[in-house]
Amino acid sequence: MGKSLTITGSFLKPQPVEVKTQIAQEVEKNIWPMFDSKKIHPIIYKKLPLAEAADAHRLMESNEHIGKILLIMD
């Protein structure tokens, strides 16, 4: 079911600086603390060494994963 979800967004460029400032302040106040407390966090599917970047890309293209594929540098 997760693969059929649609995420939408909007551009902030045409917005006045005051609106962008307000949005940034609200995100800092209400969203960042949830990351700090681990209440919300990214889903990591797999970690691969940088040398296996081609394998990671094939995995990403396969669309058989849910979450992030991370390349790890030693």
Side-chain angles (χ1 to χ4, degrees):
M1 184 182 346
K3 298 283 184 181
S4 64
L5 294 176
T6 302
I7 298 175
T8 59
S10 63
F11 291 102
L12 293 177
K13 189 173 182 176
Q15 297 294 327
V17 172
E18 297 79 19
V19 171
K20 294 177 193 178
T21 300
Q22 181 65 33
I23 291 170
Q25 290 171 344
E26 292 293 326
V27 167
E28 184 177 17
K29 177 183 170 187
N30 298 305
I31 304 300
W32 286 127
M34 288 192 273
F35 281 106
D36 291 338
S37 70
K38 307 288 191 228
K39 189 172 184 177
I40 59 175
H41 55 85
I43 297 170
I44 299 172
Y45 179 76
K46 194 167 195 177
K47 297 178 183 180
L48 297 166
L50 185 58
E52 295 179 25
D55 293 335
H57 202 275
R58 280 190 286 277
L59 177 59
M60 182 182 64
E61 288 178 330
S62 76
N63 208 24
E64 295 179 2
H65 68 287
I66 294 175
K68 303 296 181 192
I69 300 167
L70 302 180
L71 293 175
I72 304 300
M73 296 174 47
D74 294 327

